[in-house]
Amino acid sequence: MNDFLQQCRDAIGAAYVLTDAADTAGYLTDWRRRFTGKALAVIKPGSTEEVATVVRLCAQFQVPIVPQGGNTGLVLGSVPDESGSAIVLSLARLNKIRAIDTINNTMTVESGCILEQVQNAAADADRLFPLSLAAEGSCTIGGNLSTNAGGTGVLRYGNSRELCLGLEVVTPQGEVWSGLRGLRKDNTGYDLRDLFIGAEGTLGVITAAVLKLFPQPKAQLTALAAMQSPDDALRLLSMAQEKCGAMLTGFELMSDFCLRLVSKHFPQLRLPFPQNYPQYVLLELSDNESEEHANAMLEDLITDALEQTIIQDAAVASSIAQSKALWSLREHIPLAQAEEGKNIKHDISVPISRIGDFIRVTDVELEKNFLGCRMVTFGHLGDGNLHYNVSPPEHGCPDAFIAHQTEINRVVHDSVHRFGGSISAEHGLGALKRNEIVQYKSEVEMRLMRTIKQALDPLGLMNPGKVV
Ligand SMILES: Cc1cc2nc3c(=O)[nH]c(=O)nc-3n(C[C@H](O)[C@H](O)[C@H](O)COP(=O)(O)OP(=O)(O)OC[C@H]3O[C@@H](n4cnc5c(N)ncnc54)[C@H](O)[C@@H]3O)c2cc1C
């Protein structure tokens, strides 16, 4: 392998072929610090051509490749296994905004651009790039597209897939496919772009993308509504969609228990209501007309929802600070849950109309089998996506409870499957759910996926052990 590494050094510069443990450590452990792998080297090319050269060398020397962006992935997709035979291919140096076209409403960016950098570049051009998630200060566009990341704006703008018009990709053979088309209509055969989006680096390396831009909203309003049940939250969602249409940009469900955990661990964050209710929805309207228009719309929605007893109370943020405070409640749920101790996480989706039934049925099944377990249920209700997490009983032994992780995963995922849902709504499969997915996808679907993998990457060098 010395020959391989030397040729990589010759091609992209010795400074960008890292082999010292101190230099590579940060690339080998996953975000949640659950796993540390080994790598032959961490290689950091600085251009598409350099990526292609490194990939060609990998094909020649049969070296597996683990593409990596910001390494914020949550399913062990961006770290190598323990064999030490793979390289980590970091895209961090491909970080240029290549072009912004405000008439076509597109921007062309390299895949190592940090999401926040892309949002800011769009804002500087008086446009909105709407992808937004809590890791936006570290994750990259290449990682976002490779995991088809969701986040808080999916209800209005779609997942990363819907925000991408074209790609530039280095194939596993080291060729460059330039599909950087800024077209909204292009029916010229198989959609290769959609093949690479969500492939988690198993089919090729994304080096650049054409992204969709939108007008900046003139006003953004946030409100918190309190209600009795997830079914009432769904009724509110229907009403909000009827009244507000595309102006509805956020609709997040949070159970009372979630917010009690937030109050317990972050007492400075307060609920704006004098009493507790079983469920809450944080909703956001974005308006391209004016603040007055948005206010009138929101007031009308809340008045009608109160009159029809869909909701029992509501608080509208009247300043940016108040809006941030409401979002803060939502954003602190994962942190509060971590403070509370170990827990078992599920990132699932079911058809929106079935969410109430799913929660009811699955809660009962878990409570029956795992006495005293505490459900931490919150998420992007408007997308049918729930963080359906399970915490140990309040006074039980957390480790004894966590030992049941596989059984608890099985109860939840079987239920998701029965409700026609997905066991990974946002984070992908990576190495973590690769074996589990086989239980829930049909043989036909798995065979088609493997056939695609085999056709594009016959040597099996692209991110082995992930997805399929
Ligand atoms: C605090 C926090 C909040 C999060 N919130 C959300 C959320 O709301 N919604 C959501 O969907 N996800 C969320 N995530 C998960 C994660 O941030 C996203 O999956 C993100 O899109 C990953 O980007 P990354 O650059 O860090 O990719 P990495 O973690 O580096 O890689 C992720 C996968 O993509 C592959 N990959 C990376 N770059 C490329 C490339 N250029 N070409 C080919 N393959 C590549 C990797 O091999 C790996 O399989 C969150 C994570 C954290 C830590």
Side-chain angles (χ1 to χ4, degrees):
M1 282 301 138
N2 284 343
D3 232 21
F4 165 74
L5 290 175
Q6 191 52 50
Q7 289 197 39
C8 287
R9 288 189 190 100
D10 293 345
I12 70 166
Y16 302 114
V17 179
L18 313 180
T19 49
D20 284 354
D23 297 332
T24 59
Y27 299 85
L28 304 180
T29 298
D30 77 299
W31 178 272
R32 285 191 178 141
R33 307 203 166 279
R34 284 169 301 183
F35 179 81
T36 299
K38 292 197 183 87
L40 195 59
V42 173
I43 300 193
K44 303 181 71 173
S47 66
T48 302
E49 267 322 311
E50 287 188 1
V51 173
T53 306
V54 171
V55 172
R56 277 197 299 274
L57 286 170
C58 287
Q60 182 187 335
F61 287 87
Q62 307 248 323
V63 174
I65 301 168
V66 181
Q68 190 179 96
N71 197 16
T72 68
L74 299 175
V75 289
L76 307 183
S78 51
V79 286
D81 64 17
E82 286 171 306
S83 69
S85 60
I87 60 154
V88 171
L89 184 72
S90 166
L91 281 305
R93 290 178 63 226
L94 271 72
N95 59 3
K96 286 176 212 61
I97 308 282
R98 290 193 190 163
I100 297 187
D101 180 341
T102 52
I103 300 205
N104 198 37
N105 271 321
T106 49
M107 69 197 295
T108 306
V109 307
E110 293 185 346
S111 63
C113 287
I114 303 287
L115 174 55
E116 201 171 56
Q117 175 195 353
V118 173
Q119 294 165 342
N120 291 342
D124 289 346
D126 197 24
R127 292 292 181 274
L128 172 75
F129 180 63
L131 182 65
S132 176
L133 44 109
E136 63 200 20
S138 314
C139 63
T140 63
I141 281 297
N144 299 148
L145 290 168
S146 298
T147 57
N148 188 24
T152 52
V154 175
L155 182 60
R156 162 71 178 88
Y157 300 102
N159 292 294
S160 297
R161 187 185 298 283
E162 281 84 42
L163 297 173
C164 176
L165 293 175
L167 285 182
E168 178 186 84
V169 173
V170 171
T171 69
Q173 293 72 36
E175 304 150 308
V176 179
W177 169 54
S178 182
L180 289 175
R181 304 176 189 119
L183 302 177
R184 278 153 176 95
K185 290 189 166 179
D186 176 19
N187 289 341
T188 51
Y190 303 139
D191 198 331
L192 298 180
R193 174 198 58 194
D194 273 349
L195 215 47
F196 292 106
I197 296 175
E200 300 181 50
T202 60
L203 299 179
V205 184
I206 296 176
T207 49
V210 181
L211 305 174
K212 277 190 204 168
L213 298 176
F214 297 82
Q216 289 267 20
K218 297 235 173 17
Q220 248 172 344
L221 292 188
T222 313
L224 187 71
M227 63 219 53
Q228 295 299 328
S229 66
D231 287 332
D232 284 340
L234 288 177
R235 290 168 66 207
L236 181 65
L237 176 64
S238 288
M239 185 185 254
Q241 282 173 325
E242 267 167 38
K243 284 181 182 288
C244 311
M247 281 173 58
L248 184 68
T249 45
F251 201 92
E252 301 283 314
L253 179 76
M254 305 174 276
S255 71
D256 180 48
F257 182 60
C258 294
L259 293 189
R260 276 193 282 130
L261 277 185
V262 172
S263 307
K264 176 176 169 190
H265 296 287
F266 301 95
Q268 74 279 18
L269 299 176
R270 291 175 180 232
L271 259 175
F273 305 122
Q275 68 174 85
N276 289 357
Y277 296 91
Q279 301 287 338
Y280 301 90
V281 161
L282 182 70
L283 61 92
E284 187 181 78
L285 297 189
S286 302
D287 196 324
N288 283 344
E289 233 177 278
S290 65
E291 184 123 10
E292 294 72 47
H293 184 254
N295 262 318
M297 191 81 96
L298 188 57
E299 208 180 298
D300 176 50
L301 171 67
I302 287 174
T303 308
D304 274 11
L306 283 167
E307 266 172 18
Q308 294 184 30
T309 60
I310 293 174
I311 63 174
Q312 276 68 56
D313 206 345
V316 177
S318 59
S319 65
I320 291 178
Q322 281 184 8
S323 166
K324 277 194 177 145
L326 291 183
W327 272 107
S328 221
L329 290 169
R330 162 69 178 84
E331 282 155 7
H332 277 74
I333 298 172
L335 305 174
Q337 201 186 2
E339 288 291 318
E340 184 72 3
K342 291 181 179 169
N343 56 75
I344 298 172
K345 292 190 165 54
H346 305 96
D347 157 43
I348 59 104
S349 63
V350 294
I352 298 170
S353 51
R354 308 193 74 187
I355 280 200
D357 288 340
F358 167 79
I359 295 176
R360 230 180 341 269
V361 168
T362 319
D363 280 4
V364 168
E365 202 171 341
L366 285 170
E367 280 153 10
K368 192 175 75 190
N369 290 302
F370 306 96
L371 213 64
C373 67
R374 296 172 298 161
M375 308 309 306
V376 184
T377 306
F378 62 102
H380 315 299
L381 187 74
D383 315 327
N385 174 197
L386 287 180
H387 301 294
Y388 187 77
N389 300 342
V390 194
S391 279
E394 194 166 8
H395 303 294
C397 165
D399 287 330
F401 181 79
I402 298 294
H404 294 292
Q405 164 134 19
T406 311
E407 296 151 65
I408 290 176
N409 288 161
R410 180 48 69 91
V411 169
V412 174
H413 290 162
D414 281 0
S415 182
V416 165
H417 189 60
R418 281 196 299 274
F419 277 88
S422 163
I423 66 163
S424 184
E426 285 203 312
H427 302 154
L429 297 175
L432 207 61
K433 294 186 182 160
R434 176 193 181 222
N435 293 332
E436 211 176 343
I437 195 62
V438 180
Q439 329 239 11
Y440 300 109
K441 281 193 191 280
S442 69
E443 268 179 42
V444 176
E445 195 167 355
M446 288 310 302
R447 195 181 63 243
L448 289 173
M449 280 174 47
R450 289 190 194 108
T451 306
I452 291 168
K453 168 77 176 166
Q454 175 66 23
L456 268 72
D457 179 25
L459 297 177
L461 295 178
M462 289 304 311
N463 219 357
K466 320 287 166 63
V467 184
V468 285

